[in-house]
Amino acid sequence: MIVVYTPAGGEPEHYDASTLRVSEASIVQRTVDMKWQEILEGLERDDLDAMRGVVWVLKKRSNPSLRFGEFDPGITEMTTRMDSKEIAAWLDNALAAVSSDGELSMEQIEQIILDRLPSVAVDPDHARELVLARTRAPKDPAPAPEPEAQDASGTPGPSPSPTSSGPETTTSDSSPISSTSHPEMSTT
């Protein structure tokens, strides 16, 4: 889960909660008085304390003296977004859940997902592309195998490429060793 922190008048900053070390997660837990699972669930719901704790600890990496009380963002300055792995996992789960539902067509499912999923993705374009790739049939199906070539009499002709995986007997008068190779000196 990515926490997007956009300070007033500033540029968005992205903080990836999955990069926290265990020691850092413990600090977040103690500071916001929540268990890690509650923090993860809080991130999914844009819980202010969960987001603030994660961002604060990650900001401390570059500013170790930053105190929790000194980092007090506005309530509209933080939100969460899913990274590409989370989008893919969510999409797989959603498609698996609705694939057994015969009431909705794949086009309806696609539209429902497209109406919501890109807005919660850190990369909305990637989310859209992924939805379309997983909900639509391939545009270019694999070509059918070509029929065996026949000569004018209707009998099959030679295959355009060898199909044997075993060694072939050569009919050439040349040596099996290339004429451009040079003998090597034995070291024994």
Side-chain angles (χ1 to χ4, degrees), residues 87-169:
I87 290 290
W90 187 95
L91 183 57
D92 289 344
N93 289 338
L95 291 174
V98 297
S99 66
S100 62
D101 183 355
E103 294 181 27
L104 295 173
S105 70
M106 190 51 77
E107 292 80 21
Q108 291 170 314
I109 293 167
E110 176 185 288
Q111 192 56 51
I112 291 167
I113 294 171
L114 283 173
D115 286 344
R116 176 76 174 118
L117 194 58
S119 68
V120 297
V122 75
D123 184 350
D125 292 335
H126 175 263
R128 275 186 213 87
E129 290 170 8
L130 193 60
V131 170
L132 296 176
R134 294 200 182 168
T135 58
R136 294 188 177 172
K139 293 186 190 295
D140 298 321
E146 293 186 25
E148 195 172 307
Q150 296 180 351
D151 65 14
S153 66
T155 58
S159 175
S161 61
T163 56
S164 172
S165 61
E168 295 183 20
T169 306

Side-chain angles (χ1 to χ4, degrees), residues 1-182:
M1 190 66 65
I2 307 293
V3 180
V4 181
Y5 167 53
T6 308
E11 292 296 314
E13 301 170 11
H14 294 92
Y15 296 91
D16 188 345
S18 69
T19 65
L20 284 171
R21 310 284 299 169
V22 172
S23 58
E24 292 170 324
S26 294
I27 293 168
V28 175
Q29 288 182 110
R30 284 192 309 270
T31 305
V32 299
D33 195 26
M34 297 167 77
K35 294 290 184 191
W36 184 245
Q37 191 59 40
E38 294 171 314
I39 293 168
L40 291 176
E41 291 167 4
L43 291 175
E44 291 175 4
R45 296 185 322 269
D46 274 5
D47 179 88
L48 293 172
D49 289 330
M51 292 186 297
R52 179 182 180 198
V54 167
V55 172
W56 169 67
V57 166
L58 290 173
K59 284 176 105 25
K60 284 182 68 62
R61 289 178 177 173
S62 60
N63 184 3
S65 64
L66 180 64
R67 298 203 173 273
F68 187 67
E70 295 170 350
F71 178 65
D72 191 15
I75 59 170
T76 61
E77 293 178 355
M78 291 184 300
T79 191
T80 54
R81 296 287 180 254
M82 289 192 275
D83 65 25
S84 57
K85 287 189 285 186
E86 291 167 322
I87 290 290
W90 187 95
L91 183 57
D92 289 344
N93 289 338
L95 291 174
V98 297
S99 66
S100 62
D101 183 355
E103 294 181 27
L104 295 173
S105 70
M106 190 51 77
E107 292 80 21
Q108 291 170 314
I109 293 167
E110 176 185 288
Q111 192 56 51
I112 291 167
I113 294 171
L114 283 173
D115 286 344
R116 176 76 174 118
L117 194 58
S119 68
V120 297
V122 75
D123 184 350
D125 292 335
H126 175 263
R128 275 186 213 87
E129 290 170 8
L130 193 60
V131 170
L132 296 176
R134 294 200 182 168
T135 58
R136 294 188 177 172
K139 293 186 190 295
D140 298 321
E146 293 186 25
E148 195 172 307
Q150 296 180 351
D151 65 14
S153 66
T155 58
S159 175
S161 61
T163 56
S164 172
S165 61
E168 295 183 20
T169 306
T170 181
T171 57
S172 168
D173 291 335
S174 65
S175 165
I177 298 175
S178 169
S179 62
T180 59
S181 64
H182 301 287

